[in-house]
Amino acid sequence: MSKPGLVMVGPLMPRVVEGIAPLFEVHRLWEAADQEALLAKVAPTVRAIATDGTRGAGADLMRKLPHLAIVGCQGVGVDAIDLGYARTHDVIVTNTPDVLNDDVADIAIVLMLSAIRRIPQGDRYVREGKWLKAPMPLTDTLRNRTLGMVGFGRIGKAIAKRAEAFGLKIVYHTRTLQIDQPYVHYPRLIEMARDVDILMVIVPGGAATRHLINAHVLEALGPSGYIVNVARGSVVDEPALIKALQEGKIAGAGLDVFENEPSVPEALLGMDNVVLAPHVGSATHHTRNAMAQLVVDNLKAWREGRPVLTPVK
Ligand code: NAP
Ligand code: 8YV
């Protein structure tokens, strides 16, 4: 029996490539000299797309594949997938929740500590021989600080678990009160921003959270406040963040995600009070392989007529 077609949008983990080869006829979209021609040619047999959280799958792509049944995403964030189109056309979307919680939470804590204790700045200080002339200036601290979680889902809770060990007081902002949680819930973000020392952003991207962190929220956080963003660049109004950092309206930032990745605004590159990472929350061999395996397991389940493991609802 011939295998159904699958469009792979960009290079994914070898584990995905090897895992889906026996299940699908794989068409590598990014390698095609003429992508439109490839899509037109394979459309009659294509039932699946394999993608990641950055490339996603827009309606423009899905529309060209009229027999599409499933999109497997290597990533938990599905803001780059047109879920509205998928729903109305009965296309199943799967993502990779939970398997990446711990590695993303580690990076969130590292960025928070790096920004506050100025770890990259210290590294530069040593390399540039400045330590030979004078000790590095003192830094801010995590002692007696309150961490405001913006989003308190799977990854947020893994971050909070780690933050507890550092003795931080934890509060959170979400749309829904989580009755089983011991922490104070703020229905209004601006009020939480006023009360905390650090804002930790870990909500999904997309229209509902676009520029949730704006100039007012940053102003409320205040001149001794820090922000860490491990969610999506779209959640933070980047020009407002840059302005707040330049004008000393907040103290610093730790950023893993940006509005226009992989481009990072020149202004941020030149600032000494920010710590930058190239969207590496889940970027370990361990976690990327676990994510890849989940992509394969979902596509395999669909292929065998079983319910998929992690559908996006
Ligand atoms: P999750 O379990 O679905 O949690 C999302 C949390 O955000 C929930 O607490 C939710 O609570 C809250 N939320 C959603 N919309 C909100 C809104 N408009 N205002 C305030 N709170 C809102 O998701 P997760 O697995 O923790 O992942 C979160 C996101 O992290 C992903 O979607 C992805 O974008 C990002 N991520 C980044 C990396 C990286 O490498 N940097 C890696 C993995 C994931 P309510 O629904 O009650 O509001
Ligand atoms: C991935 C992520 O790096 O899971 C997510 O939402 O942001 C990261 O784990 C991203 O999906 C790109 O593949």
Side-chain angles (χ1 to χ4, degrees):
M1 204 175 72
S2 65
K3 293 182 281 185
L6 175 147
V7 170
M8 192 179 284
V9 172
L12 298 178
M13 291 291 287
R15 190 173 286 197
V16 175
V17 178
E18 286 152 23
I20 62 177
L23 306 169
F24 295 92
E25 200 60 52
V26 177
H27 307 290
R28 298 157 80 94
L29 187 61
W30 77 101
E31 286 180 352
D34 185 342
Q35 298 196 351
E36 294 305 317
L38 173 71
L39 289 171
K41 186 172 145 220
V42 303
T45 56
V46 166
R47 306 299 317 279
I49 289 175
T51 188
D52 63 22
T54 306
R55 292 176 182 89
D60 52 338
L61 172 63
M62 291 194 269
R63 205 171 285 125
K64 289 172 189 144
L65 302 169
H67 306 289
L68 185 67
I70 182 165
V71 176
C73 177
Q74 184 186 289
V76 67
V78 287
D79 47 303
I81 298 176
D82 192 324
L83 295 180
Y85 180 95
R87 258 179 225 121
T88 52
H89 292 79
D90 290 327
V91 174
I92 299 167
V93 177
T94 67
N95 64 348
T96 58
D98 287 319
V99 294
L100 41 58
N101 294 352
D102 286 330
D103 269 336
V104 181
D106 287 353
I107 283 290
I109 295 292
V110 162
L111 282 174
M112 177 178 72
L113 270 169
S114 297
I116 292 175
R117 297 297 302 271
R118 301 177 67 82
I119 300 300
Q121 295 88 334
D123 180 272
R124 293 196 285 272
Y125 200 84
V126 176
R127 288 172 200 269
E128 288 164 9
K130 291 183 180 164
W131 190 20
L132 295 169
K133 296 175 192 134
M136 185 166 148
L138 304 184
T139 71
D140 286 339
T141 180
L142 276 190
R143 309 284 78 74
N144 306 316
R145 297 293 183 259
T146 300
L147 175 66
M149 300 295 307
V150 183
F152 202 52
R154 293 167 293 234
I155 301 171
K157 290 186 180 74
I159 297 170
K161 189 175 162 194
R162 286 156 175 74
E164 286 268 15
F166 285 97
L168 286 164
K169 181 183 169 197
I170 294 160
V171 298
Y172 71 101
H173 162 72
T174 53
R175 293 165 301 179
T176 324
L177 167 73
Q178 299 184 21
I179 201 92
D180 56 333
Q181 290 300 323
Y183 310 115
V184 170
H185 174 247
Y186 283 82
R188 296 198 61 221
L189 174 57
I190 194 100
E191 281 165 17
M192 183 173 85
R194 260 182 224 124
D195 288 356
V196 304
D197 304 288
I198 307 149
L199 279 180
M200 176 66 74
V201 187
I202 187 67
V203 287
T209 56
R210 187 177 148 71
H211 291 187
L212 191 65
I213 308 294
N214 56 28
H216 302 295
V217 171
L218 295 168
E219 181 108 38
L221 180 61
S224 59
Y226 287 83
I227 181 161
V228 178
N229 186 9
V230 282
R232 283 291 181 264
S234 62
V235 182
V236 175
D237 179 343
E238 219 162 59
L241 173 65
I242 290 168
K243 194 159 183 282
L245 286 161
Q246 282 169 337
E247 294 175 357
K249 290 201 166 137
I250 66 169
L255 307 170
D256 186 42
V257 286
F258 305 87
E259 281 206 89
N260 188 27
E261 295 175 11
S263 297
V264 175
E266 203 62 40
L268 285 177
L269 299 180
M271 280 179 196
D272 198 43
N273 52 346
V274 297
V275 178
L276 307 171
H279 199 149
V280 290
S282 68
T284 65
H285 296 292
H286 170 89
T287 288
R288 285 288 167 85
N289 276 319
M291 292 161 70
Q293 190 58 53
L294 193 44
V295 173
V296 174
D297 292 345
N298 274 307
L299 290 168
K300 191 161 190 273
W302 176 81
R303 187 77 175 80
E304 293 170 355
R306 292 181 283 113
V308 294
L309 284 73
T310 50
V312 175
K313 300 212 173 81

